[in-house]
Amino acid sequence: MNVTHASEQAISFAVWERPQMRQALASRDIATVYLLLQRVGVSQRRIAALTGQSQSEISEILNGRQVMAYDVLVRIADGLSIPRGYMGLAYDDSSLGVVAVASPGEEDDADEDEQVRRLLAHAAQVTIGAAVARTDDWALPLARIDTPVPVRIGETEVEQVESVTQALRVLDYRYGGGVCRDAVVAQLAWSQRLLGASCSEEVGRRLHLALADQHNLAGWTSFDVGLHGHARRHLSRALEQAKHAGDPSLAANILYRMGRVHLHLRRVEDALRFFQLGQICAQDASCELTVAMLCANEAWAYALLGDRKLALKSLDRAYDEFNRADRLNAPSWVRFFGEADLKAAAGMMHSALARDHAGHLVKAAVLLSGSVRERSETYARSKVFELIALATAQLLLGDVENGVDNGNEAVTLVTQIRSIRTVDRLEPLQAASRDLSRDSDVRDLCRRIVDVRAL
């Protein structure tokens, strides 16, 4: 297998999602941006080629020269494939002045008749080919004008907030938080303004619930791209609003997500507390499916702590609650938790227990194989996690051929999904492949993982 060196590949989206990089981009600290790129193997020559700058310019920037010109910042963002919003280029004041002149028919001081006349004249010129297109202007953002908020709202406006959240959640499941986080946060900024509108008491309660779920998604997508502090703040606000709206089911789901954040960060005891708090809310809501989800994750946490007895006890309860659950009528935020998810959680629990009891590894491989088979493209990110865990178990069991096949599929999918978590979760697979590096196929797999994790 031919493996291209990381510095010669396209720069991975994951680089831009790292907290230190996001901070540098937000402050337009281009020197730090270039320094961080060099640390992951992107050379000055490659930066120069992508941004259209000379190597001497790159050196000057690294030595402290500030980049202030809007057009240069745009060229850097576009050349490196940085989302413009990360550098505040979409809505900054300097760009608005440029765009106001460059966009025929846009809102200005002219009256409506004059605006229409200009637009019609411009449309005629473009249509007959008389106008010369200024293609450089197309990359500039249009002036930002906030969408007006209704004075009074009803069920329709709340349904719109709910529908947008659900649509963005589908994108998160399939493509990762990096695809939709900015859209979620932008939508949330508008949705929160609805709190200033007048409405009935019931509509107000439902609005708080819709906002809680939108904060829930904002926290989850922030977590998925490595912004853990933002994730905690959104999830905290989500929990407050869910409790204010009196919905223990959503509160339980938010506590589950808080637990998953800290399980990923290896703060297992903290994760366990969140899962247990969530069970209290889930029981208050009489939602067996949510209880099953929390118990399954509790089992995983106990296994990571080495408590085999409590892990198996929690898993047994998870299966009991799942079998009693009415999934069709479960709330939208927990309906995703199906048989594949239960198998996956059980597989992760058995993988963790395999450190002390080798027989659990066989069970883990069987369960994870089942969850992978049942995954549709809708839940591509979940499939990646399970493929990684399955490949790791197979390599540890000596099933090298299947381990390599599943490992390579996982690595390929990681490069297609905008999720820092999937990159982080490659670590145990890398360790397992490194231990079997005498095999050429395993060695190639290990190199691919190293390249992806370096970006």
Side-chain angles (χ1 to χ4, degrees), residues 288-421:
E288 291 87 356
L289 188 60
T290 304
V291 174
M293 177 181 69
L294 285 157
C295 286
N297 282 272
E298 180 185 59
W300 184 5
Y302 275 130
L304 289 170
L305 292 172
D307 196 326
R308 181 171 178 269
K309 182 178 179 180
L310 286 179
L312 293 171
K313 182 179 178 181
S314 294
L315 185 63
D316 285 343
R317 187 182 175 199
Y319 274 103
D320 288 342
E321 296 287 347
F322 185 85
N323 290 332
R324 293 194 299 113
D326 180 5
R327 289 182 56 204
L328 292 178
N329 294 312
S332 60
W333 44 77
V334 71
R335 212 172 292 148
F336 76 92
F337 191 79
E339 291 183 7
D341 300 272
L342 185 55
K343 287 179 182 177
M348 297 306 298
M349 182 208 74
H350 283 291
S351 293
L353 290 175
R355 292 174 300 181
D356 300 317
H357 302 81
H360 285 288
L361 203 54
V362 175
K363 293 181 181 178
V366 171
L367 287 161
L368 291 165
S369 293
S371 66
V372 166
R373 280 195 304 272
E374 294 171 19
R375 286 295 182 197
S376 66
E377 290 183 354
T378 302
Y379 298 102
R381 184 180 53 203
S382 295
K383 183 177 181 179
V384 172
F385 292 144
E386 291 147 26
L387 276 169
I388 293 170
L390 173 59
T392 304
Q394 288 170 331
L395 289 180
L396 293 174
L397 287 167
D399 184 2
V400 174
E401 182 177 356
N402 285 320
V404 168
D405 287 345
N406 286 316
N408 277 312
E409 184 181 357
V411 174
T412 298
L413 288 173
V414 166
T415 65
Q416 298 171 358
I417 296 175
R418 296 188 63 179
S419 166
I420 292 292
R421 283 195 294 150

Side-chain angles (χ1 to χ4, degrees), residues 9 42-43 97 126 129 132 162 177 182 184 193 222 255 262 269 282 288 347 360-361 371 377 384-385 396 419 423:
Q9 296 175 338
V42 182
S43 67
V126 171
V132 178
E162 294 167 345
D182 285 349
V184 177
R193 292 169 57 209
S222 296
L255 287 161
H262 294 89
E269 292 182 351
E288 291 87 356
H360 285 288
L361 203 54
S371 66
E377 290 183 354
V384 172
F385 292 144
L396 293 174
S419 166
V423 178

Side-chain angles (χ1 to χ4, degrees), residues 1-4 395 400-401 403-405 407-408 411 429-452:
M1 180 184 294
N2 293 323
V3 181
T4 306
L395 289 180
V400 174
E401 182 177 356
V404 168
D405 287 345
N408 277 312
V411 174
L429 180 57
Q430 181 179 341
S433 60
R434 190 168 49 234
D435 292 342
L436 296 170
S437 59
R438 287 174 295 179
D439 184 289
S440 61
D441 289 336
V442 177
R443 192 162 56 246
D444 287 340
L445 171 62
C446 190
R447 287 187 188 128
R448 288 190 71 198
I449 296 171
V450 169
D451 281 349
V452 168

